[in-house]
Amino acid sequence: MLIIPCPYCGPRDEIEFACGGEAHIARPLAENTITDAEFADYLFIRDNPKGIFLERWRHSAGCRRWFNVARDTVTHKILEVYPMGSTPKKAITKASYASSWRRNTVAEKAAKPDKRNKGGRVK
Amino acid sequence: MSRLSKAPMGHQIARIDAKCRIDRSVPVTFTFDGRTYNGFAGDTLASALLANGVHLVGRSFKYHRPRGILSAGSEEPNALIRLGKGAGAEPNIRATQIEIFDGLYAESQNRTPSLKFDVGAINSVLGRFFPAGFYYKTFMWPASMWMRYEHVIRHAAGLGKVADDHTDPDRYEKTHAHCDILVAGGGAAGLMAALQAASGGARVILADEQNEFGGWLLGEANISIDEQPATSWIGKMTNQLAAMPNVKLLPRTTVFGYMDHNFLTLNERVTDHLSKRPAHLPRQRMWKVRAQQVIIAQGAHERPLVFAGNDIPGVMLAGAVRTYINRYGVCPGQRAIVMCNNDDAYKTAIDLHRAGARVLIADLRAQPTGPLFQAAHNVGIDILVGHAVIAAYGTHRVARVEIAPVNHNATAIIGEVIHRDCDLVAMSGGLSPAVHLHSQARGNLQWDEGKLCFRPSATHEPSFNIGACNGSFDLVAGLKEAVRAGTKAAAASGFKTASLTVPDVTTAKQNWRSAAAWKIPNGHLAGRGPKAFVDFQNDVTSNDITLAAREGYQSVEHLKRYTTTGMGTDQGKTSNINALAILADALGNEIPEIGTTTFRMPYTPSNIGAIAGRDIGALFDPVRLTRMDDWHRAAGAKFEHVGQWMRAWYYPEESETMHDAVNREVRAARTSAGLLDASTLGKIDIQGSDAAEFLNRVYTNAWNKLGIGKCRYGLMLKDDGMIMDDGVTTRLGENHFHMTTTTGGAAGVLDWMEEWLQTEWPDLEVYLTSVTEQWSVATLSGPNAAKILEEAGIDIDLSSANFPFMSMKHAHIGGLPARIFRISFTGELSYEINVAARHGLALWTHLMKAGAAHGITPYGTEAMHVLRAEKGFIIVGQETDGSVTPHDLGMDWIISKTKPDFIGKRALSRESMGYSDRKHLIGLLCSDPKTVIPEGAHAVIDPDQPLPMDMLGQVTSSYFSPNCGRSIAMAMLKGGRALMGQTVYFPMLDGTVLDAKVVNPIFYDPKGARIDG
Amino acid sequence: MANSFESKPVFSGETALSNQSASKSNNPSGGAVGLIFHEMQHLGKLNIRGDHSLKAAIKAATGCHFPPLANHFETAGERRIVWLGPDEYLLLCESGKEKALHDTLTNTIKRSHFAITDVSDSLCALSLSGAAVRDVLAKGCSLDLLPAKFGAGKCAQSLLAHAGITLMALPDDTFILICRTSFAPYVHDWLVDAALEYGYQFTV
Amino acid sequence: MAQNQPDRGQRGLPGGSPRYSAFALAKKAINYHQDWQRAWRDPEPKTEYDAVIIGGGGHGLATAYYLAAVHGITNTAVIEKGWIGGGNTGRNTTIIRSNYLWDESAAIYEHSMKLWEGMTQDLNFNVMFSQRGVLTISHSEHELREMSRRVHAIRLNGIDSDILGPAEIKKFVPTINIDQSIRYPVMGGFLQKRGGTARHDAVAWGYARAADDLGVDIIQRCEVTGLRRQGRKIVGVETSRGFIKTKKIGCVVAGHSSVVAAMAGIHLPIASRPLQALVSEPIKPILDTVIMSNAVHMYISQSDKGEMVLGAGVDKYNSYAQRGSFPVPEHMLAAAVELFPVLSRLRMLRHWGGIVDTCPDASPIISKTDIEGLYFDCGWGTGGFKATPGSGHVFADLIANDRPNKIAAPYTLDRFRSGLLIDEHGAAGVAH
Ligand SMILES: Cc1cc2nc3c(=O)[nH]c(=O)nc-3n(C[C@H](O)[C@H](O)[C@H](O)COP(=O)(O)OP(=O)(O)OC[C@H]3O[C@@H](n4cnc5c(N)ncnc54)[C@H](O)[C@@H]3O)c2cc1C
Ligand SMILES: NC(=O)c1ccc[n+]([C@@H]2O[C@H](COP(=O)([O-])OP(=O)(O)OC[C@H]3O[C@@H](n4cnc5c(N)ncnc54)[C@H](O)[C@@H]3O)[C@@H](O)[C@H]2O)c1
Ligand SMILES: Cc1cc2nc3c(=O)[nH]c(=O)nc-3n(C[C@H](O)[C@H](O)[C@H](O)COP(=O)(O)O)c2cc1C
Ligand SMILES: [Zn+2]
């Protein structure tokens, strides 16, 4: 039973949270053409590391905010909590961010903002 | 023996006159196997039975061997009894942990017809044919007989019987608790650590599974602390802790689980020990504790020695014998053999001697020395060094032993066998630290070659191990550890403490090393001779272990599963190390290389009732009710569960069947007016300058141009293109929308949209607020709807010109401020009237009154379903199942071709989305207009084909439509739109076949003429 | 009444718990009653979304300092601003004042991205006190309710058994517990059951 | 049954290992069981095999067995990092049924069911396959409708299934609570009589012994640490006991599928999640069938040894820790007491978790990859024990022939590209 440090409410019991799975999956825009296989990378393929995992959580029974968590899937230790739209800061979590195969997928490139939309899309 | 059996009833033959923890001024009467016995307050059932000379208390699992009391604590594998009767009976409880009370009723288990004569004992005689894993090798032929064999096996297996009446009469609680330091175990070490930790003000919880604190010390006669008997020190410590406001003492409380992030679960037995239990108190309470730091002070378990006949009643653990003498004033035997590989059992020998028993020590060690050896020798106890009990005999109680000299490590008999009569064997194979909680929390273990035990090494959670559970068997060493751990734990949670002084302990110095002697030889060839047990409860013998090793079940985990060692209710507390050692020996390997099996929650079996707590019955899961609920109930409505909501399903009038009632309701809505409680629909208030853009992205259609006060139907997809939810959304202002969702989908849709806003589109200026319960909704539907509203007193013009279909108006009805949506799920003229929830019931009753003259009819969800099906409207979750796209439903019209993106858009162009054999929504007309095809029935083209059949798909909605005067159905069929006009067949479960024509799924008023009344 | 919301409801009508019997109590063990609770009928409630830029408007309209610290609420007379999240607050006000406050706020806040929604009927507020109030709450709530950690002025959104709640600590071991109205009957039943061992007293 | 009988290949220890029987047991008893042989050998890995199966769970062992028994490929090794059956095979609640909704699922689980029927004899190892029935309970109108859909489909797929009303359920399961006023009343249920349970460990051991008899090397305490390729072709595996040459690798590592796939640069649509289970103390028989309830997330049976075996749904976050989070069993036990009040006075004896490989559509992957000679069988998630023989059978076929047979064909990785999912949970839990 984890204690998850909500960046807004502080440490709370796991039962107050919902887990949103792998973090940093950029959504390809429908207007940018990619193949079905590349789209499947976004839709279905998931990082599932044994060790440090960057994932999204929501404080569902608390402040309802989403945030990112770097958690070790073997020890269940929480290494870092950081806001949506940012990437991890510690050397070891940063490394797992950078080394993910997903950083270079076509799907990720297709997520780049289009002129018609305002602002950047970050996750 | 004879002296005991002739003793008069009720006479506590084995009771001795010693200072101990029972209260002789409070006699207690209890029943065991139909006989009444006496004991005293402070006795356990085990001590009281022993006091009465009762040793035979149970039968073993497999061989039905007579079994007695082995231990004095929660590690007990044998003495499992059924406590109580009727609804309050409970199987498999350890007699060693039951505090007796007046009227206690206990029975032995797993025997037919009686404990003394059990027919199941034939298994023991035939034991040779039932070695470990025998069932994998037999009962294979004929194959058809297995279920019969199995039936017999099942009835032979199992231990106790459940309560006679299955409804538990007791109440259970559970609660959360937070502390700085949780101390698990309140022996000497735990008490000291708790006091140290609490002395700086930290919040401390101290839990011990026993009725009093003090642990092992409660059973020691020869230890004084600060020149007082140890029990005085315990009393002083306990009082001191009890007086501290920052300390919570939890006796009778087992810490049974130790999980991630210092989350621990405790089971407190609140009233189990009382003969009269106050009804307002829970029988047990589960504590869910979050601790900053944990100090584990669980103590240690003594190991049996593995020799032939070591399971006969009267063969006990030496430490337990000492506890029975000193703590309970019971001397379990008069002619005792003490067998050991360590110094500790000498204390038992001395206490037995003092209690008046004749004692012989068989010490496996060749040259024991030291003060305890001297002391035993000095009081005149016979000591055979380098000797082992190689076999014990006796039927219902040990009567005789064979003792022989053995070599180093006791692998061979090296001299003459001696025979001795006896009525008690006290054995000690050394101590195994209770590393359970530490291991549950993923701490590591290391093997201690001197003490022959696993002890904790690195911890995984913020915790400390102290005292005997840390392998520190010396009391002073344990107390020093306690002070250190208490100080550190307090400091780690931010409390400074000054180190307490460790008290002066006076006791004979003892060597805590044990000599390795895992399997005592018995003079027979390998595999032969009487059985020597390793796991008493599951009847695993040393031969079973070597057999498993021989057959290749060499991993300790395979050994466990093949032989069932350690899988009983004691989880191998007394047997696991012996099993490992014998396996290691058989494989020529070292114990640490073999490793242990995994320690798992719970430490001791924990009541399921207490884990469920009050989350049962009405509190199992909330029921959500609308504000009109009382009215529906008074009107006799039947209800349907929709998610957590209870919705009025239909309103049967006297003697009406469901069918009748629904037909009446459906007809009323089409001929005059019906009223539906639609309050459960999800409602979301959407505000912000990007609200329309946001809707563009979450819905498939376009929203920019929707006028203020106008409503639009929207379909929401998941990003895989599958339909997720639908509903009508209304523009309240330039930047303000009111969205409705399905009842079951409400929470999910809000979460879903929040997720997109927060994670994908944080740049959008949109805020969402749930207003589901803010508004009560009554849907008035039917040709007379407008008339009734007018008669109810409405302050707006209801003409279609002023208030057209798919628009919204603010108005007052009967003075109540309302938002009225002219939308329709029935195809009739229809108004969804939203009022502040406080007025929901008033609105409802007011409309019912106003419409009475027109025969306004309340209708439930079933009629609503029929009405919408007549119109071919879908219900998400009924027509759809997570694998349906808008195209499948023939709803391409709702998909914007111009929007660059919306959730699900890209997925809709995947290869398989265009396949012509996808299931399409179609209508069905059964050839027999009276027959309603069952929902879920599957269509085929050829009903005569062999199984498995090629199926087209399933009927999703099917009703008798009183307005069409016939049955109608909707279905999802493969390539369904191409089947228009064709007949398809429905093989029924009873073998008959129905047939129906595929038609357009709009059955009533296809032109939509009725929408304006 | 153990709190300062003394004003009588302006709007009549049903409340989430108005169908409960007017009062019920049980105190099997004698002693001080463990839980005393009642529904704070028709308490005005506005959900506020927005950031610090609302500060002046809210201060002017309610008298409450804005924004409150995370997991705290601010009080001014009968009004309270409760922190729900980094951009979400709950304004509690006198019964019947919610509409006027809503209008005032909407009219004074200019140009910023905000949303104010009347949730008076969406949420049910209970006032809780009694000798065992923290013990009763601890049975269903995983927050650390130690007075030093969850004392007057603190609030939190959490769970009470299976219901989502907002819990506010007032002085003198009094709490306001807010839940969705559709969960109110469950919360009521749960509290009555949880308080059985300590004794309870409920009034509408 | 209408479907074709599977080709069981050579049966009953044709390799000549000593057979088990009551007679053999009696004979060995004469010598006090001193001369039983190893059930399977403990060989050193050879330098090269025709095929290597990674993962000594039920699926991996069954694959190796059928490769040998049906396809005659015997120069095979099963590489297991720990002890065989120590993964999910050894920690599952052993429910076996074939009453699935979609045709593709029905085909593979029924294929498996047929292999269960007769497995004890095929392997000459009593796996205690006990067809005591699996009854799935419905608690709402919505579930009743879903049940009807399911039963109609199952029946037309030629698989046995019956609908029971509350009274019939009570008769069949006397300990169940059918009081209609409870929160989730028992409103009906569907029963597969041919469903039931089996002794999980015995399945691993039985396949191991029978595969070993045909010459398969079962190599325990040997962890695969890398997959060696040349271009897009497999040439061998790196293991903790050295490199082993092979041209064909079958990965059957359940919860560790993503980890092994990553060794070849392949990414799977799999999340590894804890699934928890627990047993009560053993008691005399009170439940003679298997009960499942999706609405309250609980399933229960009683083992031959007497414990009540209970399980629930998966945990909400990824983990490789072989343990789960407490709220799951806590809720599951409350649900269990609701349905079986008698459990209240029983005690939980042991609780554990396994790591299951869950797929987005709750259906497995049996597939070639874009690397020649590398095959995956995974994604069985919370329900693959029942599939053990069927999965091994079709996977062996895929490895032997390098193309999926009719039953395996829908389960390729390609479905995630095309969108042709077999959405088993989509069909079960939906919004209303
Ligand atoms: C609690 C629980 C209850 C369940 N209940 C049911 C049920 O009632 N019915 C049902 O049908 N299914 C059930 N399941 C699911 C079922 O157990 C699994 O789907 C099935 O057993 C998977 O078998 P397997 O052989 O593929 O995997 P496993 O048995 O897990 O075998 C995989 C093996 O691969 C090994 N391995 C992993 N990595 C490596 C490596 N790098 N090198 C070498 N070896 C490696 C592992 O050690 C393991 O032994 C349950 C699962 C759990 C956890
Ligand atoms: N057989 C023996 O001779 C023996 C055994 C243990 C300790 N000792 C001696 O006793 C002295 C005191 O040692 P100690 O304090 O470390 O141990 P202890 O045995 O005195 O105390 C441990 C306490 O922990 C409790 N306990 C164990 N598991 C628990 C759980 N999960 N939840 C709640 N309570 C639990 C036990 O009831 C016991 O009271 C030492 O000198 C030691 O050598 C002797
Ligand atoms: C069907 C089944 C029945 C089980 N019965 C028992 C049992 O009677 N006693 C026991 O201690 N464990 C029992 N277990 C649990 C195992 O001891 C063990 O916890 C489980 O296989 C997981 O392994 P692990 O705990 O070593 O990780 C059972 C497991 C299963 C799958
Ligand atoms: Zn938060």
Side-chain angles (χ1 to χ4, degrees), chain B residues 45-80:
Chain B
L45 181 59
S47 70
L49 285 170
L50 288 172
N52 285 279
V54 179
H55 276 257
L56 172 64
V57 294
R59 289 274 173 174
S60 66
F61 191 86
K62 179 168 154 191
Y63 297 134
H64 289 251
R65 306 221 345 157
R67 287 287 160 79
I69 294 157
L70 181 74
S71 74
S74 64
E75 68 271 39
E76 178 62 35
N78 285 337
L80 305 186

Side-chain angles (χ1 to χ4, degrees), chain A residues 1-3 14 71 74-77, chain B residues 258-264 289-290 440-442 460-462, chain D residues 317 319 321 323-326:
Chain A
M1 246 283 248
L2 312 179
I3 294 182
E14 171 190 320
R71 183 177 59 91
V74 179
T75 63
H76 290 179
K77 295 260 179 290
Chain B
Y258 188 166
M259 286 156 263
D260 284 332
H261 297 193
N262 264 358
F263 177 79
L264 297 98
V289 178
R290 195 65 88 159
Q440 276 186 32
R442 299 196 255 177
H460 179 77
E461 295 287 340
Chain D
Y317 48 86
S319 168
R323 62 191 57 230
S325 192
F326 191 68

